[in-house]
Amino acid sequence: MPPEPRQATLTDIAARAGVSVSTVSKVLNGRTDVAPATRGRIGRLLSEHGYRTGRRTGLADLVIDGLHSPWADELLAGAVDAAAEADCAIVVNRVRSPEEFAAVIDRIVARGTDGVLTVLHLPRGPVLERLAAQGVPLVVVDPAEEPGDGVRSVGATHWYGALTATRHLLDLGHRRIAAITGPGENWSVRVRLDGYRAALAQAGVPVAEGLVRADRFTPAGGRRQALDLLALREPPSAVVAGNDAQAFGVLQALAERGVRAPQDMSVVGFDDVPVAEWATPALTTVRQPLAAMAATAFRMLRLSTESGAAQPDQVELATTLVIRASTAAAPARPE
Amino acid sequence: MPPEPRQATLTDIAARAGVSVSTVSKVLNGRTDVAPATRGRIGRLLSEHGYRTGRRTGLADLVIDGLHSPWADELLAGAVDAAAEADCAIVVNRVRSPEEFAAVIDRIVARGTDGVLTVLHLPRGPVLERLAAQGVPLVVVDPAEEPGDGVRSVGATHWYGALTATRHLLDLGHRRIAAITGPGENWSVRVRLDGYRAALAQAGVPVAEGLVRADRFTPAGGRRQALDLLALREPPSAVVAGNDAQAFGVLQALAERGVRAPQDMSVVGFDDVPVAEWATPALTTVRQPLAAMAATAFRMLRLSTESGAAQPDQVELATTLVIRASTAAAPARPE
């Protein structure tokens, strides 16, 4: 089947739907005096061709499984700031299960929205169809799975971030570099671990499997793994943590064992949430531009209205290493 | 003038407004086929008597000057969690000036909302009238000024929090206790400073004025004041910071000067944001129940619908001292 033309006219869409142009126009303008089945059919066609149905509400919906973390806060703040610039506000919908997710999407669609941003969660078939039928654009922020062709998303270059963090430690003379990662089912965790391995491989340093750990993305997770690493016969001289929260926990473990950071052990975080620079020592970390990711996703919601571009698109924003005070040259050791 | 009866009937309100009961009922149900001036007059009467006009939207609006801080994140998370329990969602409106504030309130009222929560900001005359005329309930969270009779608010017991923090240090044998506060125009800052002074007075310890500092509510503010305090001929042995962010900055200053926390200097924060326990050493701090404050405010929005209680109400939730690792007995000193 040849690809669909990118910008069909309303006349084309009317012909395809078997209705008049004025009916298409009604659906486009959010009028409800068109039979639901017809409205659905026209809505789907309009949305396939990059038209947005319904009236602007001045609201965009963020769907997230919880706040209470600096990571979530940065994403939300980025969306709120971008929305404010567009005289828009962000509705925060907390969703904790797939069933809740479908119910919340129903509620959002019934109320009306200019678009939906989901965090981590990659919606599937029925939800995608429901949104498309109503002409509601969707963008996924920091997808927890490999984003497919059907959904637009904004992530970050996790692989490159972990590579630069590990390379920074190699450049400082470290050879025994531990990696603490997050829960294994998360896509970005696997991608980052590959970046860590790639940096070691490029430097000809073998991966010591006992130095690769997985735990929760919390200070407690980082502390637990760091205490364990410190108890090894040959402890590492540096740790790449899975996120900044874990890195804070590593710093606590070091203090408990009287190990100085960065003189005795270097620590790198991941994310660069605002509190990363509150740490003592201030954290060297891989900056994931969380606020910019959410802001980009918000702007992508609006693109579908204006440009008629309905093609899915996956964007990855650059990660950058931010060098602060928690990394230093490897301590001299008898080899 | 005698106080208004708490629960007038629609017939009373109709008589008072000089309209029929069915007109009052229309306004109560959010119908727009009533002349605007009449609608306004009836709306005001309904709202004075605790009725809510308009249809439930499933949305409540939070108006805040910015996110990007653990303090703001906790407030927002509390509102979002309470809303989710009520099948509701929170709209986040970022407002940075009084002009923007009025415009955002207009937009919210035009769109429809189940209620408005403002953070810090205590709205005045015209905005209050606009909300009352539309029957939109309002609650202020953590008011930055002394809350007056006209507005409901939820705060925390700042005075008692500062008192318990200072008393904790006195109990540990500290006598030279510094206080770093926030910007002086903030009401809670003055209240907390009074709590600090009260604890010292009760213990018969004079307030050494050089030990009372004011700075921004940031790690940089805390660091700056701590470096200054450490440079005194007689430095303090303990610091009560104005918030947790300042306390993080104090810990950085101590590390820079080789002063150990808590052995050489005790540090207490304020707020107990989630990252307070990420610090090394984990922060002893005054817990301000931020999430519960916002959740309480959200629930108060809904009370006006159900109970008919239109009386303003100021609530203060309890602060509690959370003792972690950043405070210890005062070091022995030659007196």
Side-chain angles (χ1 to χ4, degrees):
Chain A
M1 204 171 79
E4 294 282 330
R6 295 284 290 267
Q7 182 77 68
T9 64
L10 295 192
T11 315
D12 298 337
I13 288 170
R16 206 174 280 237
V19 299
S20 69
V21 173
S22 94
T23 303
V24 173
S25 171
K26 280 181 182 173
V27 173
L28 189 61
N29 291 306
R31 297 255 302 267
T32 50
D33 52 348
V34 177
T38 314
R39 209 157 73 217
R41 196 167 70 243
I42 298 171
R44 260 187 304 276
L45 283 166
L46 284 168
S47 127
E48 278 168 21
H49 292 276
Y51 288 96
R52 275 279 300 292
T53 55
R55 217 155 283 167
R56 262 206 71 203
T57 62
L59 297 175
D61 282 81
L62 184 88
V63 182
I64 190 166
D65 79 344
L67 300 172
H68 298 286
S69 87
W71 173 86
D73 185 35
E74 276 304 289
L75 289 175
L76 176 58
V80 166
D81 288 344
E85 280 163 31
D87 287 335
C88 220
I90 296 291
V91 185
V92 184
N93 303 269
R94 195 200 68 182
V95 163
R96 295 209 158 141
S97 69
E99 301 73 49
E100 252 191 336
F101 186 84
V104 162
I105 292 289
D106 280 348
R107 212 186 298 152
I108 290 171
V109 165
R111 181 230 307 146
T113 183
D114 293 351
V116 172
L117 302 174
T118 66
V119 174
L120 296 176
H121 185 78
L122 214 58
R124 303 268 167 218
V127 167
L128 290 182
E129 280 159 30
R130 179 122 175 74
L131 292 171
Q134 301 291 326
V136 173
L138 166 78
V139 179
V140 181
V141 184
D142 201 4
E145 301 164 70
E146 187 175 341
D149 276 348
V151 180
R152 294 183 297 166
S153 65
V154 181
T157 58
H158 297 289
W159 183 88
Y160 188 69
L163 179 93
T164 53
T166 311
R167 194 181 273 164
H168 166 62
L169 294 168
L170 289 162
D171 289 346
L172 287 168
H174 295 275
R175 288 300 173 268
R176 284 188 67 76
I177 301 171
I180 306 176
T181 69
E185 65 273 19
N186 189 305
W187 179 65
S188 67
V189 163
R190 295 201 305 274
V191 175
R192 289 185 201 170
L193 193 54
D194 269 359
Y196 160 83
R197 290 178 194 278
L200 292 178
Q202 283 174 14
V205 174
V207 175
E209 286 305 327
L211 297 187
V212 176
R213 306 298 179 109
D215 212 311
R216 297 185 58 203
F217 274 137
T218 58
R223 177 174 167 278
R224 181 164 42 230
Q225 295 307 321
L227 289 174
D228 221 59
L229 289 165
L230 287 171
L232 291 177
R233 211 166 48 84
E234 267 194 286
S237 65
V239 177
V240 183
N243 70 350
D244 293 334
Q246 284 185 345
F248 270 89
V250 172
L251 292 178
Q252 289 185 329
L254 299 184
E256 283 171 50
R257 290 288 175 268
V259 177
R260 294 166 307 162
Q263 298 92 330
D264 305 325
M265 171 107 55
S266 287
V267 181
V268 184
F270 207 105
D271 284 347
D272 195 27
V273 290
V275 295
E277 58 177 340
W278 298 16
T280 303
L283 279 179
T284 294
T285 186
V286 176
R287 179 167 175 72
Q288 196 180 177
L290 299 165
M293 285 156 63
T296 301
F298 173 80
R299 290 186 203 108
M300 281 166 68
L301 287 180
R302 304 170 70 84
L303 272 185
S304 53
T305 342
E306 290 145 23
S307 71
Q311 293 300 95
D313 207 358
Q314 281 84 42
V315 175
E316 288 198 346
L317 300 190
T319 50
T320 45
L321 182 69
V322 180
I323 299 175
R324 297 201 181 93
S326 65
T327 47
R333 280 203 188 195
E335 292 293 328
Chain B
M1 207 169 79
E4 295 281 331
R6 295 284 289 268
Q7 181 76 70
T9 63
L10 294 191
T11 314
D12 299 337
I13 287 169
R16 204 174 282 236
V19 298
S20 69
V21 173
S22 94
T23 304
V24 173
S25 172
K26 280 180 182 175
V27 173
L28 189 61
N29 291 305
R31 298 254 302 267
T32 50
D33 51 348
V34 177
T38 313
R39 208 158 73 216
R41 194 167 72 244
I42 298 171
R44 260 187 304 275
L45 283 166
L46 283 169
S47 126
E48 279 168 21
H49 292 275
Y51 288 95
R52 275 282 298 293
T53 55
R55 216 154 285 167
R56 263 207 68 202
T57 61
L59 297 175
D61 281 81
L62 184 89
V63 182
I64 190 165
D65 79 343
L67 300 173
H68 298 285
S69 85
W71 174 86
D73 184 36
E74 275 305 288
L75 288 175
L76 176 58
V80 166
D81 287 345
E85 280 163 31
D87 286 336
C88 219
I90 296 290
V91 185
V92 185
N93 302 270
R94 195 199 67 182
V95 163
R96 295 211 158 139
S97 69
E99 300 74 48
E100 252 191 337
F101 187 84
V104 162
I105 292 290
D106 280 349
R107 212 186 297 149
I108 290 170
V109 165
R111 180 231 306 145
T113 183
D114 293 350
V116 172
L117 302 174
T118 67
V119 175
L120 295 176
H121 185 77
L122 214 58
R124 302 270 169 216
V127 167
L128 290 183
E129 280 159 30
R130 180 123 174 72
L131 292 172
Q134 301 293 324
V136 173
L138 166 77
V139 179
V140 181
V141 184
D142 202 4
E145 301 165 70
E146 187 175 341
D149 276 348
V151 180
R152 292 182 299 165
S153 64
V154 181
T157 57
H158 297 290
W159 182 88
Y160 187 69
L163 178 94
T164 52
T166 311
R167 195 180 273 165
H168 166 62
L169 294 167
L170 289 162
D171 289 347
L172 288 168
H174 295 276
R175 287 301 172 267
R176 285 187 67 76
I177 301 171
I180 306 176
T181 69
E185 65 273 17
N186 189 305
W187 180 64
S188 67
V189 163
R190 296 201 305 275
V191 176
R192 288 185 202 171
L193 193 54
D194 269 358
Y196 160 83
R197 289 178 193 280
L200 292 179
Q202 283 175 13
V205 174
V207 176
E209 285 305 327
L211 297 188
V212 176
R213 307 298 180 109
D215 211 313
R216 298 185 57 205
F217 273 137
T218 59
R223 178 176 168 277
R224 181 165 41 230
Q225 296 306 321
L227 289 174
D228 221 59
L229 289 165
L230 287 172
L232 292 177
R233 209 166 50 84
E234 266 193 287
S237 64
V239 177
V240 182
N243 70 350
D244 293 334
Q246 285 185 345
F248 270 89
V250 172
L251 293 178
Q252 290 186 328
L254 299 184
E256 284 172 49
R257 291 288 176 270
V259 176
R260 294 165 309 162
Q263 299 91 330
D264 306 325
M265 172 106 55
S266 287
V267 181
V268 184
F270 207 105
D271 284 350
D272 195 27
V273 290
V275 295
E277 57 177 340
W278 299 16
T280 303
L283 279 179
T284 293
T285 185
V286 176
R287 179 166 175 72
Q288 198 180 177
L290 298 165
M293 286 156 62
T296 301
F298 173 81
R299 289 186 203 109
M300 281 167 68
L301 288 180
R302 304 169 71 84
L303 271 186
S304 52
T305 343
E306 289 144 22
S307 71
Q311 293 300 95
D313 207 359
Q314 281 84 42
V315 175
E316 288 198 345
L317 300 191
T319 50
T320 44
L321 182 69
V322 180
I323 298 175
R324 297 202 182 92
S326 65
T327 47
R333 280 201 186 195
E335 290 295 325

